[in-house]
Every structure is written in structure tokens, then in C-alpha cells.
Amino acid sequence: MRRLAVLLLVTGALATRAATPVDFDHDIVPILRQHCAECHTGDKKKGGLSFNTRESLLRGGEDGPVVKPGDATGSLLLKAILSRDPDEQMPPKGDRLTEAEVAKVRAWIGGGVVWTDGFAFKKPAYEPALRPRRPQLPPTRGGRTNGIDRILDAQLATQHRTRPAPVDDSTFCRRVHLDLVGLLPEPDALDTFLHDRRADKRTRLVHRLLTNDIAYAEQWLSFWNDLLRNDYAGTGYIDDGRRQISSWLYRALLDNKRYDQFARELIAPTADSEGFSRGIRWRGVVSAGQAVPVQFAQSVGQAFLGINLKCASCHDSFIDRWTLKESYGLAAIYADEPMELYRCDKPTGTMATPGWLFPELGQVDPSKPSAERLRQLAGLLTNPENGRFSRTIVNRFWHRLMGRGIVHPTDAMQTAPWNSDLLDYLAVHFADHGYDLKATLELICTSAAYQSRTELLRPGQDDKGYNYAGPRAKRLTAEEFLDALWQITDTAPARYDAPVVRGHLDPTAKAAAQWVWAPVTNGSLPAAGETVTLRRVFSLPSQPTTAGAAVTVDNSYTLYVNGRKLRSDDNWETVEFIDLSTALHPGINEVVLRAKNGGDAPNPAAAYFEARWRLPDGHTGSIGTDGTWSWTHAKPNDEGRVEDAGADWQPAAVLDSATWRDRTAAGISTALAQALLAERPRVRVSLLKSDLLQRTLGRPNREQIVSVRPSDLSTLEAMDLSNGPLLSNRLAEGAKHLAERPWASSDALIDWLYRSALSRSPAKSELELARKALGEKPDAEGIEDLLWVVCLLPEFQMVR
């Protein structure tokens, strides 16, 4: 049974298109411009053939199609290029293509005629409006009052097409759970929803899911990590060529930070949020297009405006109207030093002038230092008159929930939307509601459009233009797929990698620790650069169920717990909250804090650490810096151990001045106890470093911004998924967990599994097959086979 399911999965994946080995923008476009443009681009269509867009090329000319994607030898275009007949050869005059150029065209056709989204040889006449537009809503039809439905109902009526039918309750329940919080509805919760007879139960469910702050934050963390290219490991994190924004981002999502403020803090950053604007400082020699200021321009343009400045970072864009000068102008806002323009990686001798892309809204002052220019840019980008800012994010959310953007692709916002009223309505609703991301999600999810049956797609359906016919099914993300397996089998790991504290901080919590440092004499101050090692050893009777710590040092520190480096920070104005649930263990525990005093002259220095934990029996405990801590100047090794046998450990000095007491009250006591002791839900995949299985399922490496993940499973991915040991081992582990439960019968297990995974009971035929797999008494081997069958079903792997 398992093999049959795997075979079906692999067979379906074989239809995916092979990747092209040539670069369309830099290999193919120049060839077509030189040899084909004179007769077949712009308004010229010799023989009825236009190369303006991929669609027009594939339509062919008066004699029919000239290109067969994936079949170079069968394409008339290549035959004409190779022909020596003066009546057939292409181009008919001028230089013929070189052998290298012919090879590129052959590879391009064989690779599927890949074409950069949004590119056209003839510039489109469409230019998106800059300022917001408030469309007039059409009259209500059939009692559907949601503004989305009023707009779409009017469009369908104009096109004489029927509205998509509503989806049933169980499908809606599964869909909205996965979309908003990334988790399957538990069978009991599903039953409660299905038996609810209130007319507004779907609206109530949407609202309840959005108020589950932890689940919401940990679902959407992956979306924003992709879009802001943030991760927990990878290129640049070890050598300080790149910095995380994980703690800042998690807290912004948990608190539902206003999106305009969210963007301002990324563009004119704090110490916690600078990782986005800083980008990646690549090691070794890099091209001009990879310089950090140029990365900044590309990232701001793509993430917040949905425009592609990567092409315009090398030359004037082939794709849309953006120029090299404009791209470098945006980059120069970030740069600390004057920037010279590089065209195709060659210096031009022209210096960039710091400038914003839309001067109609104002302009940055190029004479100001970069920090002030960034603040000005942040204000211009989030100016309420910049309608592009709000349109871009609501379009991304529409794509995420409905399976296709209103402007598509989502990073081609220079492209005309298929319904401009819908896009503008969502954008002004978003701004009217204080740039509240959850308000937009709620608006979409409570619409009849979202609650409709998914559209059945035919191959090539959108080739001649998109027509709305309901939401589209979406592939589970890597995180959603694995979270679902862990949820069903209860096999989530105990620890996670993201440097965040899960859950809200308690504003009523009181600090219990004290500020400490090495003793000073005669009222003198610690020397600038003085570095001390602080240590505390304590014992625990059992493994804590939850534990956390708050730490800050004036000026910087590195924290080790039980031989493991947990955190470093050089911003004395912030307090870091650190999860210790898996760092502590029964028996002897050791906390080591390597603390450094900064500055250029002797100045006050102090360290603060407080940890709290809860044990399985409900008892709680804590330790904090005080006179029981020891200090030495000896330096710990990479594991936080002081190996110097001659280290002179002395009692730490408690700093009891009013200055330090005030700082404790203002900086720490407002946010500690419950946050560190609260029970947490199971660990989510979004909090983990990537692994092979996640990459197989589509999680990107995040060295580049990724706004949309692949919608199809490639052949190699399907084979790795079905044969790889990572998934196999997890299903085997999950089967053992399920086998240990006291099931009343095989039927009870089968029904529970189908309801957990698919939000429905098994069909009669499914039940009979599952009974054969399990036998009368379910064992781990039979359960594993059944798990394989269910998790490889398209119905499980899709949000439908």
C-alpha cells in the first residue's frame, strides 16, 4: 500500500518542467534583441509573429506555432535559425546566429521557454497609481455584504458567470486552521465546530484563531522569514556577515505590530532589527550588485513595493521601467560613503545621488548622514499617500490565502491587476484599520469568496488571461507538513533553535536579581574594556518543564549554560529573554556570563541575570545575580568552561546604588515572571533550523528574498520525500507513539487518523483497505504503513 502511494506521488511529479540551463535575461534577451527585434517586437508582427511576450511567442504567427516548449528539434523557430534557404532562414538578413547563440536558444526551448515574469519587449502602457484609490462598492447581491464579495459578485455578473459554490464546514475548518495558524483542527474542535448551529460560527472561528497569538506568530514567522531573508543558521551568521532579526520579528508578530511601524523599524532599524537592512556581507570578492547598499535597495523594493530592482542594479531594467540610476539612488540612501554607479559590473565614473523612487511624495536630503536619510526614507515609504506600500502587502496576503495574486506574480506590482477595485479596496481597508495585518486576514477569511470551493484547474488555463473562479488549492509548506505530522503523532522535539521567548511578557512581573560586577576600590570605576567572567552553580531535582532567563550587561556579554553558548549581545540598552527549557537538566547546572565594560574611559559597568523554572511537580524556582555569584578575570573556552587552574574566583560585588535600582525597575521588572514560566504549546517547525526534509518540501535557504514558494513537487523532491530516511524515521517514530495508545479497535484508530489528518471520516473503501493494513490489533508496523498512505495523499498535502 505504501509503495502504491509513493508510486502515484512520483508519477505525478514526473510532469514537472525541467529547469533551463540558460539565463533568460542575460543569455536569451540579447539574442532576440539583436536578431529578431526588428521584425517581431513592438508594434511589428511580421508574418503575424510577435516576440513581445511569452504568450504572444507561443501563439505563433500566420503559419501556426513556431515554438514547442521542451522540444527544440520540433520547433519551427530553431529550424528557421538553422536553415540555409534564403526564403526560410531567420533572420532573413544581417548576421546569422553564432554556434554559441544557437546552443543557447536550443537549450532555452528545450528547457521550456522560461521567461522572466513581467518581461516584455514592448513596455506595457500600464503604470500603477501611486496614491491610494477608494473604489465605490457595488450594490450587495444575495445578502453578501463583505466588500470583497460585493466587488467579485459584480465582476462575475458582468462576465455572465456563476459564483463559486460554498465549501462545506469541515473543509472550511481545515482550510482556515492551516492558513491562519498552520495547524490541523483537533478532532474534538472539529466536532464542536460542526455541531455549532450559530449563523456566524465561521466568523467566530476566524476571530478565535487570530487571537491565538502564539500559534499565529509561529505560523506567519516562516512567511516573514522568507520575505525578509532571515534564518537561524547559514551564510554569514558565524562570521558576523549577517545578523538575525528573529527576536524582533517574533515579538512584532506576537504583538501584531502595526505594519507601517513594522516597516519603519526595518528600514531605519534598531539594533534588534538591523539584520534586514544590513543584508549579507559576502566573504571574498563580490560583484557590484552584491554590495550591501545595493542589496538594501533590492530588498526594500522587493519586500515592501513588489518591484524588481535586481535587474536595474546591473543596467536599466529589461523587465520594467526602473533604471540603474534609480536603483543606485535608493542604495546610496543606505551607504555611508559615496557610491559610484557600476553598469554590468564595470565602473561608469558617475556618482549616485541618494534618492527615493517616487519623488512626488517627497525626497530624502542627500546632505544628511545615512541614519537620518534612512529615517526619511522610512517615512516616505510608509506615507499614507503611498498606495503602493499597502497594495503590495494585501496582494501578498490574497495570494497566500487564495492561491493566486490579484497582481500576479506578487513581485511584479508594475503589472495590471485582474481586478483593480478589489486590490484598492483591500489596500484602503488595511490603511483605514491602522495597518493591522490581522484585520486584512480576517476580512479575506470571512468573505464568501474565501469560503468557496477551490477552482478546478486545467493545464495552461491562465495562458490567455486569468478569470477569477474561486480560491485555488495550495501545497502545504514544509513547516505545515511537518507540524501536521508532529501534531498527529505527538513527536515534536523538546527544543528549538530560534532565539526567541515564546509567549507574551507579563507587565506585572517583578525582578528579583541584583546588578553585579567585580569589586572596585576607593570609589573608582571599572576600566574601559575590563572583562570579567561571572559564574553560578546550582542543583535541580528534575528536568524543568519550562524555564527561561532575562539577561543584560552594560556593555556586552556572552552567556553559557552547561557548556553551551546560548546568546551574545552588545547592546546594553536591551534585555534579552532566553528559553532555558532544554538547557537546564537534573543535577548540577552551571551558568557562566562573560561580561565586558565598553567605552573609552573608566565608567560604570554591571551585569544582570535572572532565571526561573517550573518542575513537573508544579514547584517553581529561580536564581539571579547577587553576592553568591563568583567572578574571575580568567577567560572561558568556547564551551564556557574556565580551564585555568589558577583562576582566582572571588565573590561578586552587588551594585546597590540608586542608579542600578532604578534601571532594574525600569528595564527588567516590567517583563519577566509569567513569560519565563508559562506553559508552551509543542515546538513548531518554524522555530527550527532547516534540514534536508524541509528543503525537500520547499523551504528556501533564505540567502535571497523568497516571496512565493514552489507550488509543485519536482521529480527529485518526490523521490527524496518517498525514499529519504528523514521522513521514514519520523513516521516510524510516530507509529510507535500511536501504537502505545489504548485504542478501542482498529476502526477507532482509523477514524481518528482520518479525522485528524483530513478533517473527515474515511470512506467505506478507505476503511476496508486500512483494516487490512492494521489487522485486528494495531501494531507499529501496520500503523506506519497507514501513516505513509495518509501523509502522501494529495488531500493531506494540500490546503483545499
Side-chain angles (χ1 to χ4, degrees):
M1 189 176 299
R2 182 195 311 171
R3 291 177 180 174
L4 175 60
V6 171
L7 179 61
L8 291 173
L9 179 70
V10 173
T11 302
L14 288 173
T16 58
R17 179 180 295 162
T20 177
V22 294
D23 183 302
F24 174 74
D25 289 334
H26 296 90
D27 291 331
I28 301 303
V29 169
I31 295 174
L32 300 183
R33 283 193 189 280
Q34 180 181 350
H35 298 288
C36 309
E38 183 176 349
C39 299
H40 299 289
T41 64
D43 295 326
K44 298 177 181 179
K45 296 174 62 177
K46 188 173 181 179
L49 177 61
S50 171
F51 280 48
N52 279 336
T53 65
R54 184 177 189 271
E55 290 74 20
S56 66
L57 174 61
L58 295 182
R59 280 197 297 270
E62 296 169 353
D63 297 325
V66 299
V67 171
K68 294 181 179 180
D71 182 9
T73 58
S75 294
L76 292 178
L77 176 62
L78 190 63
K79 291 180 180 179
I81 289 172
L82 294 173
S83 175
R84 297 301 177 183
D85 186 337
D87 295 328
E88 295 179 355
Q89 69 182 27
M90 297 292 289
K93 58 184 179 180
D95 294 334
R96 304 299 301 278
L97 275 67
T98 66
E99 290 184 7
E101 289 174 331
V102 171
K104 289 179 180 179
V105 172
R106 179 183 286 110
W108 175 56
I109 297 174
V113 193
V114 171
W115 194 285
T116 298
D117 289 323
F119 174 79
F121 281 95
K122 181 181 179 181
K123 296 291 184 181
Y126 180 78
E127 174 68 17
L130 175 60
R131 289 178 167 79
R133 182 179 72 92
R134 189 177 298 274
Q136 182 176 354
L137 291 177
T140 298
R141 297 171 183 264
R144 289 152 59 121
T145 59
N146 186 300
I148 293 171
D149 298 320
R150 294 170 67 175
I151 292 170
L152 290 177
D153 287 350
Q155 173 180 311
L156 292 170
T158 300
Q159 297 171 341
H160 305 290
R161 296 192 296 122
T162 59
R163 298 184 305 206
V167 77
D168 61 81
D169 278 346
S170 61
T171 302
F172 168 77
C173 187
R174 185 178 190 270
R175 178 190 297 176
V176 76
H177 269 81
L178 287 168
D179 278 343
L180 294 184
V181 297
L183 296 170
L184 297 166
E186 297 285 353
D188 289 346
L190 176 64
D191 284 343
T192 299
F193 178 73
L194 294 178
H195 291 100
D196 190 342
R197 295 292 176 257
R198 290 174 293 186
D200 64 344
K201 68 177 185 178
R202 293 191 177 188
T203 298
R204 289 173 177 269
L205 176 57
V206 170
H207 180 73
R208 180 172 63 80
L209 292 173
L210 287 173
T211 54
N212 185 344
D213 294 335
I214 295 178
Y216 164 83
E218 294 175 2
Q219 158 70 347
W220 288 87
L221 186 63
S222 295
F223 171 88
W224 289 106
N225 276 338
D226 286 0
L227 190 62
L228 302 176
R229 70 174 187 183
N230 178 65
D231 217 331
Y232 317 128
T235 300
Y237 287 119
I238 295 176
D239 60 8
D240 198 40
R242 186 180 183 190
R243 292 184 182 175
Q244 292 190 45
I245 59 169
S246 304
S247 181
W248 175 90
L249 178 58
Y250 186 93
R251 192 62 47 191
L253 295 175
L254 193 75
D255 297 338
N256 195 30
K257 188 187 292 287
R258 283 178 58 118
Y259 184 60
D260 55 344
Q261 182 62 25
F262 179 101
R264 284 193 290 269
E265 291 180 20
L266 289 170
I267 293 169
T270 64
D272 290 338
S273 62
E274 69 172 344
F276 169 76
S277 60
R278 181 177 176 176
I280 302 176
R281 300 181 189 272
W282 296 97
R283 302 175 72 176
V285 178
V286 298
S287 70
Q290 293 175 299
V292 168
V294 179
Q295 288 183 51
F296 169 81
Q298 296 167 356
S299 297
V300 169
Q302 184 175 358
F304 296 114
L305 297 170
I307 59 178
N308 185 340
L309 294 178
K310 291 183 179 179
C311 193
S313 300
C314 187
H315 42 67
D316 289 351
S317 178
F318 294 150
I319 299 171
D320 46 41
R321 70 175 179 83
W322 305 110
T323 66
L324 182 69
K325 180 180 178 181
E326 289 172 322
S327 181
Y328 266 79
L330 186 58
I333 295 175
Y334 179 89
D336 290 321
E337 302 293 336
M339 287 189 66
E340 181 180 4
L341 273 69
Y342 276 67
R343 178 174 285 105
C344 295
D345 218 27
K346 296 180 181 179
T348 65
T350 302
M351 304 305 293
T353 300
W356 161 235
L357 297 173
F358 302 101
E360 305 96 308
L361 299 178
Q363 191 53 274
V364 299
D365 185 345
S367 67
K368 298 294 185 181
S370 61
E372 177 56 29
R373 295 197 302 264
L374 289 173
R375 282 190 287 271
Q376 293 176 3
L377 174 62
L380 290 166
L381 179 77
T382 59
N383 186 326
E385 288 299 298
N386 180 13
R388 288 175 174 242
F389 173 68
S390 50
R391 289 189 199 106
T392 300
I393 186 58
V394 299
N395 186 59
R396 294 196 192 283
F397 275 14
W398 183 270
H399 177 278
R400 180 67 179 254
L401 296 174
M402 300 293 286
R404 194 185 193 281
I406 304 170
V407 174
H408 195 82
T410 57
D411 287 332
M413 292 300 288
Q414 287 290 122
T415 308
W418 53 263
N419 192 314
S420 58
D421 282 354
L422 176 61
L423 181 63
D424 284 322
Y425 169 70
L426 288 169
V428 296
H429 179 279
F430 179 53
D432 289 346
H433 287 75
Y435 299 93
D436 184 336
L437 296 171
K438 288 186 177 181
T440 294
L441 294 173
E442 184 168 5
L443 174 69
I444 297 173
C445 290
T446 55
S447 70
Y450 174 82
Q451 298 174 23
S452 299
R453 292 182 183 175
T454 52
E455 180 184 8
L456 295 177
L457 298 179
R458 301 180 304 276
Q461 182 168 322
D462 292 341
D463 287 350
K464 295 185 179 180
Y466 169 76
N467 283 307
Y468 166 76
R472 291 185 170 180
K474 307 177 293 291
R475 175 185 172 187
L476 289 182
T477 65
E479 293 85 346
E480 290 165 350
F481 181 90
L482 293 174
D483 276 335
L485 290 184
W486 289 350
Q487 187 178 351
I488 293 168
T489 59
D490 194 24
T491 53
R495 58 185 294 180
Y496 58 90
D497 302 305
V500 302
V501 172
R502 304 172 74 197
H504 287 289
L505 303 179
D506 177 20
T508 66
K510 300 299 182 184
Q514 298 172 294
W515 292 91
V516 300
W517 197 257
V520 294
T521 58
N522 302 323
S524 62
L525 296 172
E530 180 180 51
T531 306
V532 300
T533 300
L534 297 156
R535 183 178 69 175
R536 177 71 154 84
V537 177
F538 61 99
S539 180
L540 289 174
S542 58
Q543 177 71 43
T545 57
T546 183
V551 58
T552 185
V553 171
D554 187 351
N555 289 96
S556 62
Y557 71 86
T558 300
L559 173 68
Y560 306 87
V561 176
N562 290 329
R564 177 180 160 209
K565 179 181 175 181
L566 293 188
R567 182 71 63 89
S568 293
D569 187 77
D570 58 5
N571 184 359
W572 62 272
E573 296 179 304
T574 62
V575 179
E576 284 70 53
F577 297 93
I578 303 168
D579 191 286
L580 297 180
S581 298
T582 58
L584 301 179
H585 54 233
I588 301 300
N589 291 263
E590 180 184 48
V591 175
V592 174
L593 195 62
R594 183 67 171 169
K596 180 178 180 180
N597 185 23
D600 299 322
N603 64 90
Y608 184 100
F609 176 91
E610 182 174 354
R612 303 189 184 192
W613 57 82
R614 176 180 286 113
L615 301 176
D617 61 6
H619 286 85
T620 61
S622 66
I623 63 162
T625 43
D626 57 20
T628 66
W629 284 57
S630 302
W631 77 276
T632 181
H633 281 303
K635 182 180 179 180
N637 62 19
D638 292 340
E639 297 179 345
R641 310 292 190 187
V642 175
E643 299 174 330
D644 183 356
D648 185 18
W649 290 98
Q650 299 290 328
V654 174
L655 307 176
D656 197 30
S657 67
T659 298
W660 298 112
R661 286 197 301 271
D662 291 345
R663 183 175 294 186
T664 300
I668 296 177
S669 65
T670 57
L672 184 59
Q674 283 189 356
L676 303 182
L677 294 176
E679 295 292 344
R680 303 284 183 254
R682 68 171 57 90
V683 169
R684 300 285 297 273
V685 183
S686 63
L687 302 174
L688 301 180
K689 295 176 182 177
S690 184
D691 59 23
L692 177 59
L693 181 56
Q694 291 183 55
R695 292 191 291 274
T696 295
L697 292 167
R699 174 169 165 171
N701 63 17
R702 293 171 179 157
E703 291 177 2
Q704 301 293 332
I705 284 177
V706 175
S707 56
V708 176
R709 293 191 185 180
S711 58
D712 297 319
L713 195 67
S714 73
T715 304
L716 291 177
E717 289 172 342
M719 294 176 66
D720 191 39
L721 181 63
S722 58
N723 296 312
L726 289 174
L727 180 58
S728 180
N729 292 341
R730 290 184 180 181
L731 291 178
E733 180 187 2
K736 292 179 181 177
H737 274 246
L738 293 178
E740 293 170 355
R741 298 185 188 179
W743 300 103
S745 65
S746 292
D747 282 8
L749 168 57
I750 296 166
D751 185 70
W752 174 88
L753 177 58
Y754 271 77
R755 285 163 48 76
S756 297
L758 307 176
S759 295
R760 65 169 177 83
S761 294
K764 183 178 179 180
S765 59
E766 292 172 323
L767 181 60
E768 291 175 353
L769 288 172
R771 284 171 176 166
K772 293 179 181 179
L774 291 183
E776 293 185 4
K777 184 177 181 180
D779 60 15
E781 184 177 356
I783 294 173
E784 184 181 351
D785 283 342
L786 187 56
L787 285 174
W788 271 105
V789 170
V790 171
C791 79
L792 292 184
L793 286 173
E795 185 180 355
F796 176 76
Q797 296 192 27
M798 304 294 288
V799 182
R800 308 175 75 170

